Amino acid sequence: MAATRGVLCTARFSGDVDPLMERFNASIGFDKVFWDVDLKGSIAYAKASPTLTAEEKTQIVAGLEQVRAEWAAGTFELKPGDEDIHTANERR
């Protein structure tokens, strides 16, 4: 069985995730083209959040802009545990 570290659903289930399910569920190969749209949404959400301080918003946006620069430069590195584009961007 495959390791479950970092997989979103592991908080709800016990045991390992079947490798077949991991391959079936992984959409990163298809949705990696949406990296910029995902980052724009995350940046907008951070800026609009009423629960974050101005400093927290600045730090989050700066971090997301760094991720954007990595994608644009072709240096962003996908990892085996990246289930989709959003989890890949957040992991980074």
Side-chain angles (χ1 to χ4, degrees):
M1 292 271 171
T4 58
R5 189 175 330 149
V7 179
L8 292 177
C9 68
T10 58
R12 296 186 187 122
F13 302 103
S14 62
D16 292 335
V17 176
D18 188 286
L20 177 62
M21 183 59 198
E22 286 181 344
R23 288 192 307 274
F24 176 76
N25 193 44
S27 65
I28 192 68
F30 300 102
D31 67 358
K32 65 184 176 184
V33 298
F34 299 116
W35 64 265
D36 193 47
V37 175
D38 181 72
L39 289 168
K40 285 178 183 177
S42 293
I43 289 169
Y45 188 81
K47 287 180 177 180
S49 176
T51 60
L52 297 173
T53 67
E55 182 179 340
E56 289 170 331
K57 290 177 185 185
T58 299
Q59 290 174 346
I60 291 169
V61 170
L64 292 170
E65 290 293 356
Q66 180 180 348
V67 174
R68 176 184 274 158
E70 291 173 12
W71 274 108
T75 59
F76 186 92
E77 200 174 317
L78 292 170
K79 304 282 183 177
D82 294 339
E83 296 177 30
D84 56 37
I85 196 61
H86 188 70
T87 56
N89 287 336
E90 282 193 342
R91 171 200 42 86
R92 177 53 193 96

mmCIF file with all atom_site columns, all heavy atoms in Angstrom, residues 65-90:
data_model
loop_
_atom_site.group_PDB
_atom_site.id
_atom_site.type_symbol
_atom_site.label_atom_id
_atom_site.label_alt_id
_atom_site.label_comp_id
_atom_site.label_asym_id
_atom_site.label_entity_id
_atom_site.label_seq_id
_atom_site.pdbx_PDB_ins_code
_atom_site.Cartn_x
_atom_site.Cartn_y
_atom_site.Cartn_z
_atom_site.occupancy
_atom_site.B_iso_or_equiv
_atom_site.pdbx_formal_charge
_atom_site.auth_seq_id
_atom_site.auth_comp_id
_atom_site.auth_asym_id
_atom_site.auth_atom_id
_atom_site.pdbx_PDB_model_num
ATOM 1   N N   . GLU A 1 65 ? 3.041  35.262 -4.710  1.00 0.00 ? 65 GLU A N   1
ATOM 2   C CA  . GLU A 1 65 ? 3.725  35.883 -5.851  1.00 0.00 ? 65 GLU A CA  1
ATOM 3   C C   . GLU A 1 65 ? 5.051  35.156 -6.127  1.00 0.00 ? 65 GLU A C   1
ATOM 4   O O   . GLU A 1 65 ? 5.459  35.034 -7.277  1.00 0.00 ? 65 GLU A O   1
ATOM 5   C CB  . GLU A 1 65 ? 3.963  37.367 -5.601  1.00 0.00 ? 65 GLU A CB  1
ATOM 6   C CG  . GLU A 1 65 ? 2.698  38.212 -5.614  1.00 0.00 ? 65 GLU A CG  1
ATOM 7   C CD  . GLU A 1 65 ? 2.016  38.313 -6.975  1.00 0.00 ? 65 GLU A CD  1
ATOM 8   O OE1 . GLU A 1 65 ? 2.536  37.803 -7.992  1.00 0.00 ? 65 GLU A OE1 1
ATOM 9   O OE2 . GLU A 1 65 ? 0.925  38.913 -7.028  1.00 0.00 ? 65 GLU A OE2 1
ATOM 10  N N   . GLN A 1 66 ? 5.707  34.672 -5.083  1.00 0.00 ? 66 GLN A N   1
ATOM 11  C CA  . GLN A 1 66 ? 6.932  33.900 -5.270  1.00 0.00 ? 66 GLN A CA  1
ATOM 12  C C   . GLN A 1 66 ? 6.621  32.590 -5.994  1.00 0.00 ? 66 GLN A C   1
ATOM 13  O O   . GLN A 1 66 ? 7.352  32.186 -6.899  1.00 0.00 ? 66 GLN A O   1
ATOM 14  C CB  . GLN A 1 66 ? 7.595  33.618 -3.927  1.00 0.00 ? 66 GLN A CB  1
ATOM 15  C CG  . GLN A 1 66 ? 8.878  32.823 -4.060  1.00 0.00 ? 66 GLN A CG  1
ATOM 16  C CD  . GLN A 1 66 ? 9.532  32.540 -2.714  1.00 0.00 ? 66 GLN A CD  1
ATOM 17  O OE1 . GLN A 1 66 ? 9.163  33.101 -1.698  1.00 0.00 ? 66 GLN A OE1 1
ATOM 18  N NE2 . GLN A 1 66 ? 10.502 31.652 -2.720  1.00 0.00 ? 66 GLN A NE2 1
ATOM 19  N N   . VAL A 1 67 ? 5.534  31.944 -5.593  1.00 0.00 ? 67 VAL A N   1
ATOM 20  C CA  . VAL A 1 67 ? 5.112  30.714 -6.267  1.00 0.00 ? 67 VAL A CA  1
ATOM 21  C C   . VAL A 1 67 ? 4.796  31.020 -7.728  1.00 0.00 ? 67 VAL A C   1
ATOM 22  O O   . VAL A 1 67 ? 5.186  30.272 -8.635  1.00 0.00 ? 67 VAL A O   1
ATOM 23  C CB  . VAL A 1 67 ? 3.903  30.076 -5.551  1.00 0.00 ? 67 VAL A CB  1
ATOM 24  C CG1 . VAL A 1 67 ? 3.360  28.889 -6.331  1.00 0.00 ? 67 VAL A CG1 1
ATOM 25  C CG2 . VAL A 1 67 ? 4.279  29.658 -4.136  1.00 0.00 ? 67 VAL A CG2 1
ATOM 26  N N   . ARG A 1 68 ? 4.124  32.118 -7.982  1.00 0.00 ? 68 ARG A N   1
ATOM 27  C CA  . ARG A 1 68 ? 3.795  32.527 -9.358  1.00 0.00 ? 68 ARG A CA  1
ATOM 28  C C   . ARG A 1 68 ? 5.065  32.722 -10.181 1.00 0.00 ? 68 ARG A C   1
ATOM 29  O O   . ARG A 1 68 ? 5.152  32.294 -11.344 1.00 0.00 ? 68 ARG A O   1
ATOM 30  C CB  . ARG A 1 68 ? 2.975  33.814 -9.354  1.00 0.00 ? 68 ARG A CB  1
ATOM 31  C CG  . ARG A 1 68 ? 2.696  34.319 -10.778 1.00 0.00 ? 68 ARG A CG  1
ATOM 32  C CD  . ARG A 1 68 ? 1.972  35.629 -10.762 1.00 0.00 ? 68 ARG A CD  1
ATOM 33  N NE  . ARG A 1 68 ? 0.552  35.348 -10.655 1.00 0.00 ? 68 ARG A NE  1
ATOM 34  C CZ  . ARG A 1 68 ? -0.344 36.208 -10.211 1.00 0.00 ? 68 ARG A CZ  1
ATOM 35  N NH1 . ARG A 1 68 ? 0.023  37.396 -9.789  1.00 0.00 ? 68 ARG A NH1 1
ATOM 36  N NH2 . ARG A 1 68 ? -1.614 35.889 -10.177 1.00 0.00 ? 68 ARG A NH2 1
ATOM 37  N N   . ALA A 1 69 ? 6.068  33.345 -9.591  1.00 0.00 ? 69 ALA A N   1
ATOM 38  C CA  . ALA A 1 69 ? 7.337  33.573 -10.295 1.00 0.00 ? 69 ALA A CA  1
ATOM 39  C C   . ALA A 1 69 ? 8.014  32.246 -10.637 1.00 0.00 ? 69 ALA A C   1
ATOM 40  O O   . ALA A 1 69 ? 8.612  32.109 -11.720 1.00 0.00 ? 69 ALA A O   1
ATOM 41  C CB  . ALA A 1 69 ? 8.257  34.449 -9.446  1.00 0.00 ? 69 ALA A CB  1
ATOM 42  N N   . GLU A 1 70 ? 7.923  31.276 -9.730  1.00 0.00 ? 70 GLU A N   1
ATOM 43  C CA  . GLU A 1 70 ? 8.513  29.963 -9.994  1.00 0.00 ? 70 GLU A CA  1
ATOM 44  C C   . GLU A 1 70 ? 7.813  29.280 -11.162 1.00 0.00 ? 70 GLU A C   1
ATOM 45  O O   . GLU A 1 70 ? 8.464  28.694 -12.030 1.00 0.00 ? 70 GLU A O   1
ATOM 46  C CB  . GLU A 1 70 ? 8.460  29.093 -8.748  1.00 0.00 ? 70 GLU A CB  1
ATOM 47  C CG  . GLU A 1 70 ? 9.380  29.565 -7.644  1.00 0.00 ? 70 GLU A CG  1
ATOM 48  C CD  . GLU A 1 70 ? 9.206  28.801 -6.349  1.00 0.00 ? 70 GLU A CD  1
ATOM 49  O OE1 . GLU A 1 70 ? 8.535  27.735 -6.344  1.00 0.00 ? 70 GLU A OE1 1
ATOM 50  O OE2 . GLU A 1 70 ? 9.741  29.251 -5.326  1.00 0.00 ? 70 GLU A OE2 1
ATOM 51  N N   . TRP A 1 71 ? 6.479  29.327 -11.191 1.00 0.00 ? 71 TRP A N   1
ATOM 52  C CA  . TRP A 1 71 ? 5.739  28.745 -12.309 1.00 0.00 ? 71 TRP A CA  1
ATOM 53  C C   . TRP A 1 71 ? 6.117  29.445 -13.611 1.00 0.00 ? 71 TRP A C   1
ATOM 54  O O   . TRP A 1 71 ? 6.371  28.787 -14.629 1.00 0.00 ? 71 TRP A O   1
ATOM 55  C CB  . TRP A 1 71 ? 4.229  28.864 -12.091 1.00 0.00 ? 71 TRP A CB  1
ATOM 56  C CG  . TRP A 1 71 ? 3.629  27.759 -11.284 1.00 0.00 ? 71 TRP A CG  1
ATOM 57  C CD1 . TRP A 1 71 ? 3.166  27.834 -10.000 1.00 0.00 ? 71 TRP A CD1 1
ATOM 58  C CD2 . TRP A 1 71 ? 3.399  26.409 -11.697 1.00 0.00 ? 71 TRP A CD2 1
ATOM 59  N NE1 . TRP A 1 71 ? 2.674  26.625 -9.595  1.00 0.00 ? 71 TRP A NE1 1
ATOM 60  C CE2 . TRP A 1 71 ? 2.796  25.733 -10.608 1.00 0.00 ? 71 TRP A CE2 1
ATOM 61  C CE3 . TRP A 1 71 ? 3.634  25.708 -12.863 1.00 0.00 ? 71 TRP A CE3 1
ATOM 62  C CZ2 . TRP A 1 71 ? 2.433  24.386 -10.675 1.00 0.00 ? 71 TRP A CZ2 1
ATOM 63  C CZ3 . TRP A 1 71 ? 3.269  24.368 -12.928 1.00 0.00 ? 71 TRP A CZ3 1
ATOM 64  C CH2 . TRP A 1 71 ? 2.683  23.732 -11.847 1.00 0.00 ? 71 TRP A CH2 1
ATOM 65  N N   . ALA A 1 72 ? 6.146  30.773 -13.587 1.00 0.00 ? 72 ALA A N   1
ATOM 66  C CA  . ALA A 1 72 ? 6.436  31.546 -14.796 1.00 0.00 ? 72 ALA A CA  1
ATOM 67  C C   . ALA A 1 72 ? 7.840  31.253 -15.322 1.00 0.00 ? 72 ALA A C   1
ATOM 68  O O   . ALA A 1 72 ? 8.064  31.235 -16.536 1.00 0.00 ? 72 ALA A O   1
ATOM 69  C CB  . ALA A 1 72 ? 6.266  33.033 -14.517 1.00 0.00 ? 72 ALA A CB  1
ATOM 70  N N   . ALA A 1 73 ? 8.776  31.015 -14.409 1.00 0.00 ? 73 ALA A N   1
ATOM 71  C CA  . ALA A 1 73 ? 10.163 30.730 -14.800 1.00 0.00 ? 73 ALA A CA  1
ATOM 72  C C   . ALA A 1 73 ? 10.378 29.262 -15.160 1.00 0.00 ? 73 ALA A C   1
ATOM 73  O O   . ALA A 1 73 ? 11.448 28.881 -15.631 1.00 0.00 ? 73 ALA A O   1
ATOM 74  C CB  . ALA A 1 73 ? 11.103 31.126 -13.666 1.00 0.00 ? 73 ALA A CB  1
ATOM 75  N N   . GLY A 1 74 ? 9.357  28.438 -14.910 1.00 0.00 ? 74 GLY A N   1
ATOM 76  C CA  . GLY A 1 74 ? 9.482  27.015 -15.191 1.00 0.00 ? 74 GLY A CA  1
ATOM 77  C C   . GLY A 1 74 ? 10.282 26.263 -14.142 1.00 0.00 ? 74 GLY A C   1
ATOM 78  O O   . GLY A 1 74 ? 10.752 25.158 -14.395 1.00 0.00 ? 74 GLY A O   1
ATOM 79  N N   . THR A 1 75 ? 10.408 26.845 -12.948 1.00 0.00 ? 75 THR A N   1
ATOM 80  C CA  . THR A 1 75 ? 11.192 26.202 -11.892 1.00 0.00 ? 75 THR A CA  1
ATOM 81  C C   . THR A 1 75 ? 10.335 25.579 -10.792 1.00 0.00 ? 75 THR A C   1
ATOM 82  O O   . THR A 1 75 ? 10.876 24.969 -9.878  1.00 0.00 ? 75 THR A O   1
ATOM 83  C CB  . THR A 1 75 ? 12.176 27.198 -11.249 1.00 0.00 ? 75 THR A CB  1
ATOM 84  O OG1 . THR A 1 75 ? 11.444 28.298 -10.697 1.00 0.00 ? 75 THR A OG1 1
ATOM 85  C CG2 . THR A 1 75 ? 13.167 27.716 -12.282 1.00 0.00 ? 75 THR A CG2 1
ATOM 86  N N   . PHE A 1 76 ? 9.017  25.743 -10.868 1.00 0.00 ? 76 PHE A N   1
ATOM 87  C CA  . PHE A 1 76 ? 8.149  25.126 -9.862  1.00 0.00 ? 76 PHE A CA  1
ATOM 88  C C   . PHE A 1 76 ? 8.254  23.619 -9.998  1.00 0.00 ? 76 PHE A C   1
ATOM 89  O O   . PHE A 1 76 ? 8.156  23.070 -11.086 1.00 0.00 ? 76 PHE A O   1
ATOM 90  C CB  . PHE A 1 76 ? 6.697  25.569 -10.032 1.00 0.00 ? 76 PHE A CB  1
ATOM 91  C CG  . PHE A 1 76 ? 5.796  25.084 -8.930  1.00 0.00 ? 76 PHE A CG  1
ATOM 92  C CD1 . PHE A 1 76 ? 5.575  25.864 -7.817  1.00 0.00 ? 76 PHE A CD1 1
ATOM 93  C CD2 . PHE A 1 76 ? 5.182  23.842 -8.999  1.00 0.00 ? 76 PHE A CD2 1
ATOM 94  C CE1 . PHE A 1 76 ? 4.754  25.427 -6.782  1.00 0.00 ? 76 PHE A CE1 1
ATOM 95  C CE2 . PHE A 1 76 ? 4.364  23.396 -7.974  1.00 0.00 ? 76 PHE A CE2 1
ATOM 96  C CZ  . PHE A 1 76 ? 4.158  24.184 -6.870  1.00 0.00 ? 76 PHE A CZ  1
ATOM 97  N N   . GLU A 1 77 ? 8.438  22.942 -8.881  1.00 0.00 ? 77 GLU A N   1
ATOM 98  C CA  . GLU A 1 77 ? 8.634  21.508 -8.890  1.00 0.00 ? 77 GLU A CA  1
ATOM 99  C C   . GLU A 1 77 ? 7.417  20.790 -8.323  1.00 0.00 ? 77 GLU A C   1
ATOM 100 O O   . GLU A 1 77 ? 7.090  20.956 -7.143  1.00 0.00 ? 77 GLU A O   1
ATOM 101 C CB  . GLU A 1 77 ? 9.864  21.175 -8.047  1.00 0.00 ? 77 GLU A CB  1
ATOM 102 C CG  . GLU A 1 77 ? 10.455 19.835 -8.326  1.00 0.00 ? 77 GLU A CG  1
ATOM 103 C CD  . GLU A 1 77 ? 11.757 19.633 -7.554  1.00 0.00 ? 77 GLU A CD  1
ATOM 104 O OE1 . GLU A 1 77 ? 12.578 20.547 -7.501  1.00 0.00 ? 77 GLU A OE1 1
ATOM 105 O OE2 . GLU A 1 77 ? 11.902 18.534 -6.988  1.00 0.00 ? 77 GLU A OE2 1
ATOM 106 N N   . LEU A 1 78 ? 6.749  20.021 -9.169  1.00 0.00 ? 78 LEU A N   1
ATOM 107 C CA  . LEU A 1 78 ? 5.638  19.201 -8.701  1.00 0.00 ? 78 LEU A CA  1
ATOM 108 C C   . LEU A 1 78 ? 6.190  18.018 -7.923  1.00 0.00 ? 78 LEU A C   1
ATOM 109 O O   . LEU A 1 78 ? 7.243  17.476 -8.249  1.00 0.00 ? 78 LEU A O   1
ATOM 110 C CB  . LEU A 1 78 ? 4.805  18.699 -9.874  1.00 0.00 ? 78 LEU A CB  1
ATOM 111 C CG  . LEU A 1 78 ? 4.026  19.772 -10.628 1.00 0.00 ? 78 LEU A CG  1
ATOM 112 C CD1 . LEU A 1 78 ? 3.434  19.196 -11.907 1.00 0.00 ? 78 LEU A CD1 1
ATOM 113 C CD2 . LEU A 1 78 ? 2.941  20.357 -9.750  1.00 0.00 ? 78 LEU A CD2 1
ATOM 114 N N   . LYS A 1 79 ? 5.466  17.619 -6.874  1.00 0.00 ? 79 LYS A N   1
ATOM 115 C CA  . LYS A 1 79 ? 5.861  16.495 -6.022  1.00 0.00 ? 79 LYS A CA  1
ATOM 116 C C   . LYS A 1 79 ? 4.834  15.377 -6.164  1.00 0.00 ? 79 LYS A C   1
ATOM 117 O O   . LYS A 1 79 ? 3.670  15.625 -6.490  1.00 0.00 ? 79 LYS A O   1
ATOM 118 C CB  . LYS A 1 79 ? 5.942  16.938 -4.552  1.00 0.00 ? 79 LYS A CB  1
ATOM 119 C CG  . LYS A 1 79 ? 6.863  18.108 -4.296  1.00 0.00 ? 79 LYS A CG  1
ATOM 120 C CD  . LYS A 1 79 ? 8.293  17.675 -4.291  1.00 0.00 ? 79 LYS A CD  1
ATOM 121 C CE  . LYS A 1 79 ? 9.164  18.884 -3.946  1.00 0.00 ? 79 LYS A CE  1
ATOM 122 N NZ  . LYS A 1 79 ? 10.543 18.555 -3.860  1.00 0.00 ? 79 LYS A NZ  1
ATOM 123 N N   . PRO A 1 80 ? 5.232  14.142 -5.897  1.00 0.00 ? 80 PRO A N   1
ATOM 124 C CA  . PRO A 1 80 ? 4.301  13.008 -6.032  1.00 0.00 ? 80 PRO A CA  1
ATOM 125 C C   . PRO A 1 80 ? 3.014  13.164 -5.219  1.00 0.00 ? 80 PRO A C   1
ATOM 126 O O   . PRO A 1 80 ? 1.971  12.683 -5.627  1.00 0.00 ? 80 PRO A O   1
ATOM 127 C CB  . PRO A 1 80 ? 5.118  11.809 -5.540  1.00 0.00 ? 80 PRO A CB  1
ATOM 128 C CG  . PRO A 1 80 ? 6.531  12.198 -5.783  1.00 0.00 ? 80 PRO A CG  1
ATOM 129 C CD  . PRO A 1 80 ? 6.581  13.695 -5.553  1.00 0.00 ? 80 PRO A CD  1
ATOM 130 N N   . GLY A 1 81 ? 3.037  13.830 -4.086  1.00 0.00 ? 81 GLY A N   1
ATOM 131 C CA  . GLY A 1 81 ? 1.852  13.985 -3.259  1.00 0.00 ? 81 GLY A CA  1
ATOM 132 C C   . GLY A 1 81 ? 0.919  15.103 -3.686  1.00 0.00 ? 81 GLY A C   1
ATOM 133 O O   . GLY A 1 81 ? -0.126 15.310 -3.085  1.00 0.00 ? 81 GLY A O   1
ATOM 134 N N   . ASP A 1 82 ? 1.281  15.844 -4.728  1.00 0.00 ? 82 ASP A N   1
ATOM 135 C CA  . ASP A 1 82 ? 0.437  16.946 -5.205  1.00 0.00 ? 82 ASP A CA  1
ATOM 136 C C   . ASP A 1 82 ? -0.779 16.380 -5.926  1.00 0.00 ? 82 ASP A C   1
ATOM 137 O O   . ASP A 1 82 ? -0.678 15.892 -7.051  1.00 0.00 ? 82 ASP A O   1
ATOM 138 C CB  . ASP A 1 82 ? 1.223  17.862 -6.146  1.00 0.00 ? 82 ASP A CB  1
ATOM 139 C CG  . ASP A 1 82 ? 2.355  18.595 -5.458  1.00 0.00 ? 82 ASP A CG  1
ATOM 140 O OD1 . ASP A 1 82 ? 2.320  18.730 -4.213  1.00 0.00 ? 82 ASP A OD1 1
ATOM 141 O OD2 . ASP A 1 82 ? 3.271  19.042 -6.156  1.00 0.00 ? 82 ASP A OD2 1
ATOM 142 N N   . GLU A 1 83 ? -1.934 16.429 -5.257  1.00 0.00 ? 83 GLU A N   1
ATOM 143 C CA  . GLU A 1 83 ? -3.146 15.852 -5.826  1.00 0.00 ? 83 GLU A CA  1
ATOM 144 C C   . GLU A 1 83 ? -3.748 16.727 -6.916  1.00 0.00 ? 83 GLU A C   1
ATOM 145 O O   . GLU A 1 83 ? -4.317 16.238 -7.875  1.00 0.00 ? 83 GLU A O   1
ATOM 146 C CB  . GLU A 1 83 ? -4.187 15.643 -4.730  1.00 0.00 ? 83 GLU A CB  1
ATOM 147 C CG  . GLU A 1 83 ? -3.752 14.646 -3.694  1.00 0.00 ? 83 GLU A CG  1
ATOM 148 C CD  . GLU A 1 83 ? -4.760 14.505 -2.586  1.00 0.00 ? 83 GLU A CD  1
ATOM 149 O OE1 . GLU A 1 83 ? -5.972 14.700 -2.835  1.00 0.00 ? 83 GLU A OE1 1
ATOM 150 O OE2 . GLU A 1 83 ? -4.344 14.205 -1.458  1.00 0.00 ? 83 GLU A OE2 1
ATOM 151 N N   . ASP A 1 84 ? -3.664 18.036 -6.742  1.00 0.00 ? 84 ASP A N   1
ATOM 152 C CA  . ASP A 1 84 ? -4.215 18.967 -7.719  1.00 0.00 ? 84 ASP A CA  1
ATOM 153 C C   . ASP A 1 84 ? -3.410 20.259 -7.659  1.00 0.00 ? 84 ASP A C   1
ATOM 154 O O   . ASP A 1 84 ? -2.495 20.393 -6.853  1.00 0.00 ? 84 ASP A O   1
ATOM 155 C CB  . ASP A 1 84 ? -5.709 19.220 -7.478  1.00 0.00 ? 84 ASP A CB  1
ATOM 156 C CG  . ASP A 1 84 ? -6.003 19.726 -6.084  1.00 0.00 ? 84 ASP A CG  1
ATOM 157 O OD1 . ASP A 1 84 ? -5.200 20.513 -5.526  1.00 0.00 ? 84 ASP A OD1 1
ATOM 158 O OD2 . ASP A 1 84 ? -7.052 19.369 -5.527  1.00 0.00 ? 84 ASP A OD2 1
ATOM 159 N N   . ILE A 1 85 ? -3.741 21.204 -8.507  1.00 0.00 ? 85 ILE A N   1
ATOM 160 C CA  . ILE A 1 85 ? -2.948 22.423 -8.599  1.00 0.00 ? 85 ILE A CA  1
ATOM 161 C C   . ILE A 1 85 ? -3.011 23.245 -7.312  1.00 0.00 ? 85 ILE A C   1
ATOM 162 O O   . ILE A 1 85 ? -2.028 23.848 -6.901  1.00 0.00 ? 85 ILE A O   1
ATOM 163 C CB  . ILE A 1 85 ? -3.347 23.253 -9.847  1.00 0.00 ? 85 ILE A CB  1
ATOM 164 C CG1 . ILE A 1 85 ? -2.283 24.298 -10.167 1.00 0.00 ? 85 ILE A CG1 1
ATOM 165 C CG2 . ILE A 1 85 ? -4.700 23.916 -9.677  1.00 0.00 ? 85 ILE A CG2 1
ATOM 166 C CD1 . ILE A 1 85 ? -0.929 23.710 -10.482 1.00 0.00 ? 85 ILE A CD1 1
ATOM 167 N N   . HIS A 1 86 ? -4.151 23.257 -6.673  1.00 0.00 ? 86 HIS A N   1
ATOM 168 C CA  . HIS A 1 86 ? -4.282 24.063 -5.452  1.00 0.00 ? 86 HIS A CA  1
ATOM 169 C C   . HIS A 1 86 ? -3.421 23.500 -4.320  1.00 0.00 ? 86 HIS A C   1
ATOM 170 O O   . HIS A 1 86 ? -2.733 24.253 -3.640  1.00 0.00 ? 86 HIS A O   1
ATOM 171 C CB  . HIS A 1 86 ? -5.748 24.165 -5.031  1.00 0.00 ? 86 HIS A CB  1
ATOM 172 C CG  . HIS A 1 86 ? -5.962 25.138 -3.911  1.00 0.00 ? 86 HIS A CG  1
ATOM 173 N ND1 . HIS A 1 86 ? -5.823 26.493 -4.086  1.00 0.00 ? 86 HIS A ND1 1
ATOM 174 C CD2 . HIS A 1 86 ? -6.275 24.942 -2.613  1.00 0.00 ? 86 HIS A CD2 1
ATOM 175 C CE1 . HIS A 1 86 ? -6.043 27.089 -2.924  1.00 0.00 ? 86 HIS A CE1 1
ATOM 176 N NE2 . HIS A 1 86 ? -6.318 26.171 -2.029  1.00 0.00 ? 86 HIS A NE2 1
ATOM 177 N N   . THR A 1 87 ? -3.446 22.178 -4.147  1.00 0.00 ? 87 THR A N   1
ATOM 178 C CA  . THR A 1 87 ? -2.619 21.605 -3.089  1.00 0.00 ? 87 THR A CA  1
ATOM 179 C C   . THR A 1 87 ? -1.135 21.751 -3.412  1.00 0.00 ? 87 THR A C   1
ATOM 180 O O   . THR A 1 87 ? -0.322 21.915 -2.511  1.00 0.00 ? 87 THR A O   1
ATOM 181 C CB  . THR A 1 87 ? -2.966 20.121 -2.813  1.00 0.00 ? 87 THR A CB  1
ATOM 182 O OG1 . THR A 1 87 ? -2.851 19.366 -4.016  1.00 0.00 ? 87 THR A OG1 1
ATOM 183 C CG2 . THR A 1 87 ? -4.350 19.997 -2.239  1.00 0.00 ? 87 THR A CG2 1
ATOM 184 N N   . ALA A 1 88 ? -0.771 21.718 -4.685  1.00 0.00 ? 88 ALA A N   1
ATOM 185 C CA  . ALA A 1 88 ? 0.632  21.929 -5.069  1.00 0.00 ? 88 ALA A CA  1
ATOM 186 C C   . ALA A 1 88 ? 1.063  23.342 -4.725  1.00 0.00 ? 88 ALA A C   1
ATOM 187 O O   . ALA A 1 88 ? 2.128  23.565 -4.142  1.00 0.00 ? 88 ALA A O   1
ATOM 188 C CB  . ALA A 1 88 ? 0.815  21.659 -6.564  1.00 0.00 ? 88 ALA A CB  1
ATOM 189 N N   . ASN A 1 89 ? 0.239  24.326 -5.080  1.00 0.00 ? 89 ASN A N   1
ATOM 190 C CA  . ASN A 1 89 ? 0.575  25.722 -4.782  1.00 0.00 ? 89 ASN A CA  1
ATOM 191 C C   . ASN A 1 89 ? 0.627  25.972 -3.285  1.00 0.00 ? 89 ASN A C   1
ATOM 192 O O   . ASN A 1 89 ? 1.510  26.676 -2.792  1.00 0.00 ? 89 ASN A O   1
ATOM 193 C CB  . ASN A 1 89 ? -0.414 26.675 -5.448  1.00 0.00 ? 89 ASN A CB  1
ATOM 194 C CG  . ASN A 1 89 ? -0.209 26.743 -6.944  1.00 0.00 ? 89 ASN A CG  1
ATOM 195 O OD1 . ASN A 1 89 ? 0.874  26.477 -7.460  1.00 0.00 ? 89 ASN A OD1 1
ATOM 196 N ND2 . ASN A 1 89 ? -1.264 27.077 -7.670  1.00 0.00 ? 89 ASN A ND2 1
ATOM 197 N N   . GLU A 1 90 ? -0.307 25.412 -2.544  1.00 0.00 ? 90 GLU A N   1
ATOM 198 C CA  . GLU A 1 90 ? -0.311 25.600 -1.083  1.00 0.00 ? 90 GLU A CA  1
ATOM 199 C C   . GLU A 1 90 ? 0.868  24.900 -0.421  1.00 0.00 ? 90 GLU A C   1
ATOM 200 O O   . GLU A 1 90 ? 1.427  25.410 0.542   1.00 0.00 ? 90 GLU A O   1
ATOM 201 C CB  . GLU A 1 90 ? -1.623 25.079 -0.480  1.00 0.00 ? 90 GLU A CB  1
ATOM 202 C CG  . GLU A 1 90 ? -2.764 26.020 -0.680  1.00 0.00 ? 90 GLU A CG  1
ATOM 203 C CD  . GLU A 1 90 ? -3.955 25.662 0.183   1.00 0.00 ? 90 GLU A CD  1
ATOM 204 O OE1 . GLU A 1 90 ? -4.038 24.518 0.673   1.00 0.00 ? 90 GLU A OE1 1
ATOM 205 O OE2 . GLU A 1 90 ? -4.788 26.546 0.384   1.00 0.00 ? 90 GLU A OE2 1
#
